[in-house]
């Protein structure tokens, strides 16, 4: 019998072998797939060692089973779970530049539909390394090449192995604390925890933090709102008289531009504009266009953007607020405020399933009257992307519902075509040329952005043809980054940059997304002030003539002279009009915006100023987390606001609901359909969507009972 066979024929040898395999795969992932940022020898040593103790602790559980089959079955299952956890983190990191938390695991069942195809797009040829050992082991077991240890392992020895693993974890934490003091107390960067302690320890740590948060929620009291109220009142920015109320009574139409980054505006591929219509809108004198506007999302990405848009509170430091807490939280969101203050009807149009990000529940808590999800749109094999109805189809088929909404309305359209992995059929791409980089994701990104631009133009053409344009204010914003950090060097030449000189500063600047406010006769122009998604809601509310002083808004009106121009990211990096700052455990790396260079010896007054900004913006995030995690809004009701009762909202048979309300109101109906002499405007919608060319009735179809004229 060979030495390896003799080694594997012992239970401890088998467990040790599995520990070594998972250790090797984890170290490969650390250096090949994760950007751990190790900067000194001790950090590299800890990265190499940290998978050993935690993996031994988990796999040692199998040593307590006396029966041979039980021991091998348990050890194999545990090893498989370890491999799944590792590889899931690899795929997740490629998409989010982050690690899987307990909240993410809880969210999996709520957002799983549609993720499979995106995960496939995140795979890489070298991923076979992470699964090859399993294939070989299954083959060896099947051929009976691995002898099974029949002799039970002494329970006392098993306890000794478990104790050794625990001591190893304790030693790991001790060494980590020597290199990074107060690692588990002060750090806000999950990469630090994984770098120092490993994936298993991070998940255990995150589980403890999650349990503490749940306990904090149950013990929250009304007095916990006091520091939040103090901050909001001190931070409040009064409206600009020039813009306050200029859109009062107007329909509000929000176009959520999926994964759309600012650099796309005015960009060209082979002398063709990528987004010709959005470019024209951006430079229109009736548009307020913000060139220094940044997304501020975390792991919740699109749902975080919606959280900020509707509530002016941030998403969570991990997971999605929508799925993690939004289904049970109290909201004081835009739809309810507008309905109660100015009689608005509210609706969301989205071509994905309603349960994605738990929207079908969260929207009720926000006070949305209607939610038209995937089941309200034409579904064929070629009508959808991985994430729902293509944008041209979404806009075209929404019109039959939009024209029935009582005005004024607050309507949000969530586009999805410009979403990773950015794939479209050839007949959707017209003659637009793709860039020719060595990165398929980058090439496709420009093509789907071009498609989105065409879809938005078709929608604007309809607004003008139907008359809605003259009575509406249209908000357009990019929700978050589209290209991951790993794609940026392939992107650099398209931005006339050398990929070899691409820096973290460039990455920070690339987090700009468009924010445009368009309305006929609006005194617009390109705005220079800095701001972020947290500032959108107070800006919109003041344009509509609703003062935000008594609401718990952490953002400030972008048009106010008192606007706070400092933008905080969810990872606590921040940007000011002069500086871009990496904030790692309160150690600030400062870049000068005008040059992109690191300030190696910043002046004391600059260091002091930015330290104060960091403290203030960190406080802002902490207060937001306090409100969201402990549901503090249940203890505070603004004047003239009635808390939302989600039971009052029903998202079934909504078309019939709209038609019934219209018919009951009769001559008092304010819907576009009614004001158009009870004739539909859907025939005014012109689209080049190939899926609708031979199926135009899908745009116009209405229930026969109360539909009125069809065209």
């Amino acid at each position: 019998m060979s030495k390896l066979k003799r080694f594997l024929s012992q239970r401890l040898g088998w467990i040790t072998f599995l520990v070594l395999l998972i250790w090797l795969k984890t170290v490969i992932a650390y250096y090949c797939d994760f950007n751990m940022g190790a900067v000194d020898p001790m950090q590299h040593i800890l990265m190499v060692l940290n998978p050993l103790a935690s993996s031994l602790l988990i796999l040692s559980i199998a040593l307590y089973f006396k029966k041979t089959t039980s021991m091998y079955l348990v050890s194999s299952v545990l090893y498989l779970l370890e491999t799944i956890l590792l590889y899931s983190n690899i795929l997740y990191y490629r998409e989010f530049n982050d690690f899987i938390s307990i909240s993410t695991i809880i969210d999996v069942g709520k957002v799983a539909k549609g993720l499979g195809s995106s995960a496939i797009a995140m795979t890489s040829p070298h991923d076979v390394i992470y699964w090859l050992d399993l294939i070989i082991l299954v083959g060896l077991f099947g051929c009976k090449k691995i002898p099974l240890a029949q002799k039970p392992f002494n329970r006392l020895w098993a306890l000794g192995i478990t104790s050794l693993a625990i001591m190893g974890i304790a030693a790991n934490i001790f060494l980590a604390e020597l290199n990074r003091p107060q690692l588990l107390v002060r750090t806000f960067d999950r990469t630090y925890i994984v770098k120092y302690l490993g994936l298993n320890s991070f998940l255990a740590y995150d589980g403890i933090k999650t349990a503490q948060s749940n306990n904090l929620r149950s013990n929250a009291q009304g007095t916990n709102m006091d520091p939040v109220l103090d901050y909001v009142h001190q931070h409040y920015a009064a409206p600009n008289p020039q813009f306050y109320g200029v859109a009062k009574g107007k329909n509000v139409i929000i176009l959520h531009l999926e994964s759309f980054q600012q650099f796309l505006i005015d960009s060209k591929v082979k002398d063709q504009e990528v987004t010709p219509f959005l470019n024209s809108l951006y430079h229109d004198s009736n548009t307020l266009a913000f060139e220094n506007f940044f997304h501020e999302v975390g792991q919740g990405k699109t749902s975080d953007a919606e959280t900020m848009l509707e509530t002016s509170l941030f998403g969570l430091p991990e997971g999605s607020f929508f799925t993690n807490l939004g289904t049970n939280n109290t909201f004081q969101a835009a739809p309810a405020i507008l309905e109660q203050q100015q009689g608005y009807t509210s609706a969301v149009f989205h071509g994905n399933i309603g349960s994605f990000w738990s929207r079908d529940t969260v929207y009720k808590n926000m006070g949305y009257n209607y939610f038209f999800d995937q089941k309200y749109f034409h579904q064929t094999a070629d009508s959808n992307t991985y994430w729902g109805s293509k944008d041209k189809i979404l806009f075209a088929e929404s019109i039959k519902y939009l024209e029935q909404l009582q005005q004024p309305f607050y309507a949000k359209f969530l586009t999805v075509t410009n979403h990773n992995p950015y794939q479209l059929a050839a007949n959707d791409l017209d003659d637009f040329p793709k860039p020719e980089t060595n990165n398929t994701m980058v090439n496709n990104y420009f093509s789907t952005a071009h498609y989105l631009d065409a879809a938005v133009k078709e929608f604007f053409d309809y607004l003008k043809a139907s008359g809605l344009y003259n009575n509406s204010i249209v908000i357009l914003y990019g929700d978050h980054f589209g290209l991951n950090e790993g794609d940026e060097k392939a992107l650099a030449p398209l931005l006339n940059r050398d990929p070899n000189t691409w820096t973290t500063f460039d990455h920070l600047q690339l987090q700009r997304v468009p924010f445009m406010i368009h309305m006929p006769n609006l005194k617009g122009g390109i705005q220079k002030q800095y701001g972020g998604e947290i500032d959108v809601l107070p800006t919109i509310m003041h344009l509509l003539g609703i003062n935000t002083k008594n609401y718990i808004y952490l953002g400030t009106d972008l048009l106010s002279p008192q606007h706070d121009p400092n933008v905080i990211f969810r990872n606590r990096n921040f940007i000011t009009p002069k500086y871009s700052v990496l904030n790692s455990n309160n150690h600030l790396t400062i870049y000068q915006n005008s040059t992109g260079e690191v300030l190696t010896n910043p002046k004391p007054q600059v260091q002091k100023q930015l330290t104060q900004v960091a403290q203030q913006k960190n406080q802002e995030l902490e207060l937001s987390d306090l409100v969201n995690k402990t549901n503090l809004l249940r203890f505070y009701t603004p004047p003239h606001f009635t808390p939302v009762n989600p039971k009052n909202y029903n998202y079934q048979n909504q078309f019939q609901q709209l038609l019934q309300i219209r018919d009951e109101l009769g001559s008092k109906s304010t819907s576009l359909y009614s004001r158009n002499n009870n004739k539909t405007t859907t025939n005014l919608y012109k689209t080049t969507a190939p899926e609708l060319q031979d199926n135009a009735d899908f745009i116009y179809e209405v229930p026969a009972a109360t539909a009125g004229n069809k065209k």
Side-chain angles (χ1 to χ4, degrees):
M1 184 182 291
S2 67
K3 290 183 179 180
L4 180 58
K5 276 193 174 183
R6 284 197 300 270
F7 183 68
L8 294 179
S9 66
Q10 304 172 50
R11 295 194 179 192
L12 181 57
W14 169 247
I15 295 299
T16 303
F17 182 64
L18 293 182
V19 169
L20 291 174
L21 285 176
I22 197 68
W23 165 77
L24 178 62
K25 292 194 292 188
T26 304
V27 171
I28 291 172
Y30 283 172
Y31 285 96
C32 295
D33 289 289
F34 301 139
N35 181 17
M36 306 298 282
V39 294
D40 61 51
M42 179 56 75
Q43 291 182 6
H44 285 285
I45 290 170
L46 288 172
M47 281 173 57
V48 171
L49 294 180
N50 69 43
L52 286 170
S54 61
S55 299
L56 179 59
L57 176 63
I58 292 170
L59 287 164
S60 70
I61 295 171
L63 294 173
Y64 292 90
F65 290 83
K66 288 186 176 181
K67 290 184 178 181
T68 301
T69 53
S70 298
M71 197 285 297
Y72 280 95
L73 177 62
V74 170
S75 62
S76 299
V77 169
L78 290 173
Y79 182 74
L80 176 62
L81 291 175
E82 282 279 84
T83 300
I84 291 173
L85 175 64
L86 173 63
Y87 191 64
S88 297
N89 268 288
I90 290 168
L91 294 180
Y92 191 82
Y93 192 89
R94 288 171 185 168
E95 172 68 14
F96 296 100
N97 292 315
D98 211 338
F99 297 96
I100 292 174
S101 65
I102 290 294
S103 298
T104 310
I105 293 173
I106 293 171
D107 291 349
V108 164
K110 299 175 182 177
V111 302
K113 185 175 177 60
L115 287 175
S117 299
S118 182
I120 291 172
M122 291 288 103
T123 58
S124 176
H126 79 264
D127 291 354
V128 68
I129 295 171
Y130 303 112
W131 298 101
L132 184 61
D133 61 318
L134 281 167
I135 297 171
I136 293 173
L137 287 174
V138 169
L140 291 175
F141 269 115
C143 298
K144 298 183 179 179
K145 296 294 184 181
I146 297 180
L148 303 184
Q150 302 296 327
K151 184 180 178 180
F153 198 74
N154 187 290
R155 291 282 181 89
L156 190 59
W157 279 99
L159 181 60
I161 298 300
T162 301
S163 300
L164 178 64
I166 293 173
M167 290 172 60
I169 293 173
N172 188 171
I173 295 173
F174 175 73
L175 292 173
E177 284 289 327
L178 288 179
N179 191 260
R180 174 59 68 182
Q182 295 183 301
L183 172 70
L184 298 180
V185 176
R186 299 177 62 189
T187 187
F188 304 108
D189 187 344
R190 283 175 286 277
T191 301
Y192 265 80
I193 302 292
V194 176
K195 176 169 61 178
Y196 282 104
L197 303 181
L199 289 168
N200 292 326
S201 297
F202 161 70
L203 204 58
Y205 166 79
D206 185 68
I208 293 170
K209 296 290 287 184
T210 300
Q212 290 174 341
S213 177
N214 290 339
N215 182 60
L216 183 68
R217 185 182 180 89
S218 63
N219 293 325
Q221 302 176 17
T223 53
N224 297 134
M225 272 298 294
D226 292 344
V228 180
L229 289 167
D230 289 343
Y231 180 86
V232 168
H233 290 154
Q234 293 171 10
H235 195 234
Y236 168 74
N240 185 334
Q242 179 184 349
F243 293 101
Y244 186 70
V246 296
K248 186 173 184 178
K250 297 278 189 179
N251 297 316
V252 180
I253 300 173
I254 296 176
L255 304 187
H256 173 114
L257 308 178
E258 174 64 43
S259 304
F260 196 101
Q261 293 176 250
Q262 176 71 15
F263 72 80
L264 289 166
I265 298 294
D266 290 336
S267 66
K268 293 182 179 181
V269 174
K270 298 180 180 178
D271 293 327
Q272 286 197 39
E273 290 182 287
V274 179
T275 57
F277 179 72
L278 290 173
N279 294 348
S280 68
L281 208 60
Y282 183 78
H283 295 285
D284 194 308
S285 61
N286 293 320
T287 301
L288 286 163
F290 297 83
E291 67 175 19
N292 294 307
F293 181 84
F294 296 82
H295 79 79
E296 297 172 278
V297 305
Q299 291 181 349
K301 294 185 81 173
T302 296
S303 65
D304 282 0
E306 289 190 78
T307 299
M308 288 181 276
L309 169 74
E310 308 290 9
T311 69
S312 197
L313 293 170
F314 292 96
L316 297 177
E318 64 278 324
S320 163
F321 169 67
F322 265 37
T323 56
N324 205 27
L325 299 173
T327 56
N328 296 311
N329 264 33
T330 299
F331 285 90
Q332 293 160 14
I337 294 171
L338 289 173
E339 180 178 24
Q340 295 179 27
Q341 292 279 327
Q342 296 187 358
Y344 274 73
T345 304
S346 56
V348 181
F349 300 91
H350 186 36
N352 205 338
I353 59 172
S355 59
F356 197 89
W357 290 129
S358 300
R359 286 186 175 100
D360 52 357
T361 301
V362 176
Y363 286 160
K364 292 177 182 177
N365 293 342
M366 287 183 169
Y368 266 109
N369 301 116
Y370 304 98
F371 175 29
F372 296 96
D373 65 354
Q374 189 175 83
K375 63 179 176 288
Y376 286 90
F377 302 100
H378 179 47
Q379 300 296 307
T380 66
D382 59 353
S383 64
N384 286 7
T385 69
Y386 292 132
W387 301 93
S389 298
K390 296 176 185 176
D391 298 342
K392 289 183 180 180
I393 296 174
L394 170 74
F395 285 123
E397 294 191 343
S398 294
I399 301 309
K400 57 180 174 282
Y401 310 122
L402 184 71
E403 69 173 1
Q404 302 294 346
L405 290 177
Q406 296 299 308
Q407 302 182 75
F409 56 69
Y410 175 83
K412 179 169 65 177
F413 292 80
L414 297 171
T415 65
V416 299
T417 305
N418 194 49
H419 193 298
N420 176 294
Y422 313 113
Q423 293 179 352
L424 278 173
N427 60 355
D428 287 315
L429 297 177
D430 56 52
D431 59 349
F432 181 74
K434 290 185 180 182
E436 296 177 356
T437 75
N438 59 3
N439 186 308
T440 302
M441 202 76 73
V442 171
N443 298 341
N444 289 344
Y445 181 64
F446 283 84
S447 295
T448 52
H450 183 72
Y451 176 94
L452 169 59
D453 178 79
V456 172
K457 181 183 185 303
E458 290 179 356
F459 181 68
F460 260 79
D461 289 344
Y462 163 78
L463 293 179
K464 292 178 179 179
S466 66
L468 280 177
Y469 175 82
N470 293 324
N471 194 38
S472 300
I473 182 170
V474 184
I475 315 293
L476 306 94
Y477 77 107
D479 61 342
H480 55 74
F481 64 90
L483 295 175
N484 298 316
E485 192 168 0
D487 299 318
E488 290 175 2
K489 287 193 175 181
L491 172 69
L494 299 175
L495 305 180
N496 297 317
R497 289 294 312 279
D498 182 352
N500 296 317
T501 62
W502 192 266
T503 66
T504 302
F505 171 80
D506 298 306
H507 170 69
L508 287 174
Q509 301 309 305
L510 214 57
Q511 304 316 302
R512 284 177 171 83
V513 292
F515 178 49
M516 294 182 265
I517 302 171
H518 181 84
M519 186 180 73
N521 302 316
L522 179 66
K523 294 180 180 179
I526 296 176
Q527 307 292 301
K528 302 293 184 181
Q529 61 267 43
Y530 277 61
E533 287 171 326
I534 200 70
D535 302 315
V536 170
L537 184 56
T539 305
I540 294 175
M541 286 297 188
H542 286 171
L543 287 168
L544 296 175
I546 296 176
N547 198 306
T548 63
K549 188 172 186 177
N550 293 316
Y551 293 103
I552 307 302
Y553 290 172
L554 294 179
T556 57
D557 182 352
L558 286 160
L559 301 170
S560 169
Q562 300 164 0
H563 166 64
D564 179 357
N566 302 316
V567 181
I568 185 74
F569 297 110
R570 190 60 262 197
N571 60 6
R572 302 196 179 227
N573 297 334
F574 62 91
I575 289 182
T576 77
K578 290 186 177 180
Y579 305 103
S580 298
V581 184
L582 297 181
N583 183 2
S584 179
N585 293 304
N586 296 322
H587 172 73
L588 307 183
T589 302
I590 305 168
Y591 294 87
Q592 189 148 358
N593 290 344
S594 59
T595 65
E597 299 295 326
V598 175
L599 294 182
T600 53
N601 293 298
K603 294 180 180 179
Q605 60 267 34
V606 172
Q607 185 75 40
K608 180 180 179 181
Q609 173 199 351
L610 293 178
T611 299
Q612 291 174 342
V613 172
Q615 292 171 346
Q616 182 230 326
K617 300 314 262 185
N618 286 347
Q619 180 189 14
E620 197 167 281
L621 289 177
E622 289 162 5
L623 290 174
S624 177
D625 292 343
L626 180 65
V627 171
N628 286 331
K629 288 183 176 180
T630 60
N631 194 20
L632 285 187
L633 291 183
R634 59 189 155 139
F635 300 120
Y636 173 76
T637 302
H640 313 297
F641 182 81
T642 302
V644 172
N645 182 355
K647 294 181 180 179
N648 293 337
Y649 302 92
N650 177 13
Y651 294 156
Q652 302 298 319
N653 302 315
Q654 295 176 102
F655 202 175
Q656 287 78 5
Q657 291 180 40
L658 285 172
L659 299 177
Q660 183 178 351
I661 290 172
R662 182 201 70 196
D663 291 347
E664 288 175 353
L665 288 172
S667 61
K668 295 181 180 180
S669 172
T670 59
S671 70
L672 176 63
Y673 179 93
S674 299
R675 290 180 172 178
N676 194 42
N677 298 317
N678 292 330
K679 294 180 179 179
T680 188
T681 60
T682 53
N683 59 308
L684 300 176
Y685 201 97
K686 309 300 180 184
T687 179
T688 60
E691 300 85 355
L692 296 175
Q693 297 310 302
D694 298 324
N695 298 287
D697 283 345
F698 285 112
I699 300 179
Y700 310 128
E701 62 179 356
V702 292
T706 55
N709 294 321
K710 189 173 182 180
K711 292 188 180 180

